Amino acid sequence: MQDSSRYDVVIIGGGPAGLSAAVALGRSLRTTAVIDSGSPRNAPAAGVHNFLSRDGVPPLELVAAGRTEAASYGSVLIDAEAVDIEKDPEGFTVTLGGGGRLSGRRLLVTTGLTDELPDVQGLAAHWGSGVIHCPYCHGYEARGRAIGVLATGPMAMHQVQMFRQLSSEVTLFLHTGPELTDDEWELLAALSVRVVSGKVEAVEETDGSLSGVRLESGDGFPLDALVVAPRFAARSALLESLGVRITEHPMGIGYSAEVDPQGRTSVPGVWAAGNVADPVAQVMASSAAGLMAGAAINGDLLAEDAAAAVERHRAGAGQALGGAPAGHDNGTTTGTPDGTAELESHAH
Ligand SMILES: Cc1cc2nc3c(=O)[nH]c(=O)nc-3n(C[C@H](O)[C@H](O)[C@H](O)COP(=O)(O)OP(=O)(O)OC[C@H]3O[C@@H](n4cnc5c(N)ncnc54)[C@H](O)[C@@H]3O)c2cc1C
């Protein structure tokens, strides 16, 4: 197999984070390739909310618009899965699932996360419609309806309060969640939240929509929506193969790649942004992180390019920084002894 293409930046993952980075880099005239396997995390949802100016836009429509914008700045969009990354002397080489390889001086991973759902019969089929997790994404659409909260961990009490804000008809299913404390029982009573003990066996549906849950005891409870707390598992296998540090979220809700505020990982030359690095980032925050990482990568490349230009300039080998060879006085930039550059005036 031969290297077919070399870019300034290879971006793995073409969701909001990766495409925002591609736009920022393209507008700085950096060459980018975006490799995307076509399954953005929110694909099951009907619309994207809390995205100012595009409220309710279907997730795939948003991605399509982002792809058009990235392509308009020269980004090469590759519909494929990245299956392997190797460090090479000039950066990184990425291998695609269907064969083919491409290389980049820098690597940005924006592969998102997988929502690991509770193992309840029929639940996964309603993910993103009747089975929901995020009050900001789709809580408003369930306002005033019969909402169940499926307890599987410590997030359940928080979710009860978030969704109680949106409906007076909230039921907490204790399922496999932790024992409630006296204070929690008191809070639930104060909020008029019904509490149901026992394990939920199945999600029930009517005409293709979620219509309730059935306990192991056989008791059924009609519902319009069921709130769950998935484990947020970063799609971080490629990053891990390069040795990038992965951390558990402090709230125990999952794990993600460790990055600094600009998206730089623990491995030089490798950045990560969006849900792979921040499991609670929504679309706008993921886009913003992609933009930030794109700008930071451009800055990193600028520093490398400037250092190389100075090397060439010192060696008298070429046209450093677009200026003249050393020793020529044509009114462009020249170096000073302290390493700064000054502009000489030159009137023609
Ligand atoms: C059901 C649901 C509804 C949501 N609703 C909202 C909402 O209303 N508003 C909101 O702001 N947020 C919402 N979110 C959150 C939103 O989905 C995320 O914030 C957003 O998708 C994160 O963007 P991202 O670019 O990091 O990842 P993603 O959008 O998941 O994009 C990652 C991309 O990387 C690709 N990929 C992964 N691995 C590889 C690989 N090895 N090679 C090539 N490509 C790869 C995937 O195919 C995918 O296209 C919702 C989430 C869910 C689960």
Side-chain angles (χ1 to χ4, degrees):
M1 216 186 293
Q2 275 193 321
D3 282 7
S4 53
S5 308
R6 177 160 283 277
Y7 299 87
D8 288 323
V9 187
V10 172
I11 299 170
I12 306 178
L19 291 170
S20 297
V23 169
L25 286 158
R27 287 177 56 80
S28 292
L29 307 184
R30 297 294 182 188
T31 58
T32 61
V34 179
I35 305 165
D36 187 60
S37 57
S39 53
R41 181 183 169 212
N42 54 353
V48 177
H49 298 287
N50 284 309
F51 193 102
L52 203 61
S53 81
R54 304 295 303 273
D55 188 54
V57 62
L60 296 182
E61 207 177 289
L62 186 70
V63 169
R67 286 170 67 97
T68 301
E69 284 173 20
S72 76
Y73 291 107
S75 192
V76 175
L77 305 173
I78 299 170
D79 294 327
E81 186 180 9
V83 293
D84 188 50
I85 306 174
E86 286 164 47
K87 181 91 189 79
D88 67 36
E90 289 161 56
F92 302 89
T93 297
V94 179
T95 305
L96 305 178
R101 304 173 81 187
L102 55 153
S103 303
R105 294 169 65 194
R106 299 291 184 273
L107 184 68
L108 173 60
V109 176
T110 49
T111 43
L113 64 77
T114 300
D115 294 281
E116 293 178 352
L117 299 172
D119 185 15
V120 170
Q121 188 190 320
L123 185 148
H126 296 281
W127 175 233
S129 52
V131 174
I132 59 180
H133 74 301
C134 162
Y136 302 106
C137 303
H138 26 221
Y140 183 84
E141 284 61 41
R143 69 194 184 285
R145 314 293 301 276
I147 301 174
V149 175
L150 186 71
T152 50
M155 285 303 287
M157 281 301 292
H158 179 62
Q159 288 184 311
V160 161
Q161 291 170 74
M162 296 294 291
F163 282 89
R164 179 63 184 79
Q165 163 81 7
L166 298 164
S167 173
S168 57
E169 234 186 299
V170 173
T171 304
L172 174 62
F173 293 92
L174 292 180
H175 190 56
T176 60
E179 290 270 305
L180 297 178
T181 64
D182 290 347
D183 286 350
E184 287 170 338
W185 280 110
E186 187 181 25
L187 176 60
L188 292 165
L191 294 175
S192 305
V193 170
R194 180 166 62 160
V195 180
V196 173
S197 309
K199 215 167 159 196
V200 172
E201 186 174 65
V203 164
E204 297 190 307
E205 65 172 47
T206 305
D207 298 333
S209 299
L210 178 143
S211 56
V213 295
R214 190 181 68 246
L215 300 192
E216 278 182 348
S217 63
D219 291 341
F221 294 84
L223 292 172
D224 298 308
L226 181 67
V227 176
V228 299
R231 180 163 163 77
F232 301 138
R235 289 163 165 167
S236 55
L238 294 172
L239 288 168
E240 289 175 58
S241 74
L242 292 170
V244 167
R245 270 200 301 274
I246 304 296
T247 47
E248 275 288 323
H249 193 278
M251 288 163 73
I253 55 177
Y255 60 90
S256 56
E258 200 177 296
V259 292
D260 76 4
Q262 295 188 317
R264 195 186 298 259
T265 71
S266 55
V267 172
V270 182
W271 272 257
N275 277 167
V276 73
D278 179 1
V280 297
Q282 292 195 264
V283 170
M284 273 204 155
S286 300
S287 287
L291 162 60
M292 179 64 83
I297 292 171
N298 185 46
D300 195 49
L301 289 169
L302 281 179
E304 184 176 279
D305 293 344
V310 169
E311 282 288 305
R312 288 196 301 275
H313 182 76
R314 285 184 183 154
Q319 302 287 311
L321 291 171
H328 285 233
D329 179 7
N330 70 345
T332 55
T333 55
T334 56
T336 61
D338 67 358
T340 58
E342 63 184 21
L343 185 66
E344 295 177 0
S345 61
H346 185 100
H348 286 278

